[in-house]
Amino acid sequence: MSIIETQRERTDLPLVAVPNIVDSMLEPFTSTLDLLHDIARVRIYTDFTLDEDTLVERMDGAKAVIVIGFHVSDAMLDRVGDHVECFAFGGTGVASYINLIATRERGIRVCNVVHYGNGAVAEHAVALIMELARRTGRMDAAMHIGGWHGEDGTSLENKTIALVGFGGIGQHVARIARGFGMHILVWNSHLDAQAVHDLEATPVDDLGELFERADIVSLHLPLLADTAGLITPEHLNHLRPGTIFVNTARAEVIQPGVLTSRLQRGDISAGLDVFDAEPLPDDDPLRTLPNVVLTPHVAWRAEAAYASLTKQVTQSIAAYFTGESFNVAN
């Protein structure tokens, strides 16, 4: 573990702590630090940890914290709330990582990032679809072991994809799907009529009907009070045998346990990048299912997304200390 510090001698400036960082984010993040020159000093810990005691220790004395890859639990908030004045969250779904009500009650600002990884997440969702449709990864693994065993694939042309959520990421998936010659169904609580028209999508008001008509279902909802547990066992029971189900959004938009139960029936397949518990426990039953492709919450991890994310969190910290507002979530 190493520590990178800026303006170390400027003890008159407030401290910003970065207690965790993904290796690939270090270069784009350090390139944004000029935005905090003469505003705040920064301390970056270059290794990654989820140990709460270590994270709290690394926040010691900081007035602002950049949150990357870890949850600020209520217990952690109690331990650092006497000195932290601003959290800048680098990711999607800030409400599932930081208690926005508790921070607001304490007078702690929480900032998020917006539209930083639309392309990255959309492409990862399509990568999961492609793997489930053509099994290239599984065949590659088999070829490296030895032998010459192929598998039949599924063509995406003329298939119907249902997008649950039609914001920036959902619309990006729709653009890719059009390139494959797919039919697009969309559900969203507030649809962008122009985007629906431009992408030749068909709105469907009822989720059960949406699921029943789809060959592929891909979730692109933020986790909010009205989306938590939105998808029920009844909705999943509408999936026809052979349907591909993809979630690169948040696991919590599905009622707990019901997707695992549906997948254990074995007649549908799924590509999942998000889970109720992260990291996914080694003994989680999802790991045993041959009809599931799993990735460890990495859909957002791409160079363009890193550049946008790191710039936005730095801008939000600079705005806080200069009395301005930028990407405030609470």
Side-chain angles (χ1 to χ4, degrees), residues 24-330:
S24 305
M25 294 179 66
L26 188 57
E27 189 281 326
F29 186 75
T30 54
S31 70
T32 71
L33 294 180
D34 282 348
L35 295 171
L36 292 171
H37 185 69
D38 287 338
I39 295 174
R41 52 198 169 99
V42 181
R43 181 181 298 150
I44 306 170
Y45 294 84
T46 60
D47 67 324
F48 193 87
T49 180
L50 293 176
D51 180 73
E52 185 164 307
D53 289 336
T54 302
L55 291 167
V56 168
E57 181 181 344
R58 293 178 179 185
M59 296 181 209
D60 186 44
K63 287 197 172 184
V65 174
I66 293 176
V67 178
I68 296 174
F70 66 93
H71 290 77
V72 179
S73 66
D74 288 349
M76 184 185 294
L77 186 60
D78 287 338
R79 297 172 68 181
V80 303
D82 61 334
H83 59 87
V84 174
E85 300 174 0
C86 178
F87 288 109
F89 173 65
T92 301
V94 61
S96 60
Y97 281 80
I98 305 172
N99 187 327
L100 298 182
I101 295 174
T103 50
R104 185 167 59 246
E105 290 173 347
R106 291 174 177 265
I108 300 172
R109 179 183 290 189
V110 177
C111 303
N112 62 349
V113 291
V114 296
H115 304 304
Y116 73 95
N118 288 358
V121 177
E123 291 164 9
H124 193 85
V126 174
L128 290 171
I129 292 168
M130 291 297 296
E131 174 58 26
L132 291 163
R134 303 308 301 256
R135 293 296 189 183
T136 55
R138 190 158 74 177
M139 286 187 284
D140 171 71
M143 288 284 286
H144 278 85
I145 295 172
W148 187 263
H149 176 68
E151 297 191 32
D152 295 335
T154 298
S155 175
L156 298 181
E157 187 176 11
N158 288 320
K159 293 295 192 297
T160 296
I161 184 169
L163 303 175
V164 185
F166 201 55
I169 298 172
Q171 290 173 31
H172 201 109
V173 173
R175 284 190 285 273
I176 298 172
R178 286 186 66 197
F180 282 117
M182 301 180 73
H183 308 290
I184 303 165
L185 306 179
V186 297
W187 180 95
N188 203 81
S189 56
H190 299 90
L191 279 173
D192 181 337
Q194 188 62 52
V196 170
H197 175 269
D198 292 346
L199 293 167
E200 300 178 0
T202 300
V204 178
D205 294 332
D206 181 76
L207 276 175
E209 179 188 348
L210 184 85
F211 281 31
E212 191 165 339
R213 292 171 60 180
D215 299 299
I216 300 164
V217 174
S218 190
L219 304 189
H220 302 289
L221 293 169
L223 179 60
L224 305 169
D226 57 354
T227 62
L230 176 72
I231 296 173
T232 68
E234 290 72 25
H235 295 135
L236 296 178
N237 283 337
H238 280 280
L239 296 172
R240 292 179 282 110
T243 300
I244 293 172
F245 185 91
V246 171
N247 190 4
T248 55
R250 281 290 179 269
E252 295 89 343
V253 301
I254 308 170
Q255 290 184 4
V258 302
L259 179 59
T260 298
S261 296
R262 181 67 183 85
L263 289 167
Q264 286 172 330
R265 287 157 56 179
D267 63 333
I268 66 170
S269 59
L272 306 176
D273 187 55
V274 290
F275 307 94
D276 288 320
E278 295 184 357
L280 185 68
D282 289 344
D283 60 353
D284 191 285
L286 285 171
R287 292 184 183 268
T288 69
L289 298 179
N291 53 330
V292 181
V293 173
L294 307 172
T295 56
H297 202 153
V298 294
W300 61 281
R301 290 177 61 171
E303 69 281 0
Y306 289 154
S308 177
L309 182 154
T310 53
K311 183 176 182 180
Q312 288 188 57
V313 293
T314 305
Q315 287 175 308
S316 66
I317 294 293
Y320 175 72
F321 286 124
T322 57
E324 300 172 7
S325 178
F326 184 82
N327 284 354
V328 177
N330 66 341

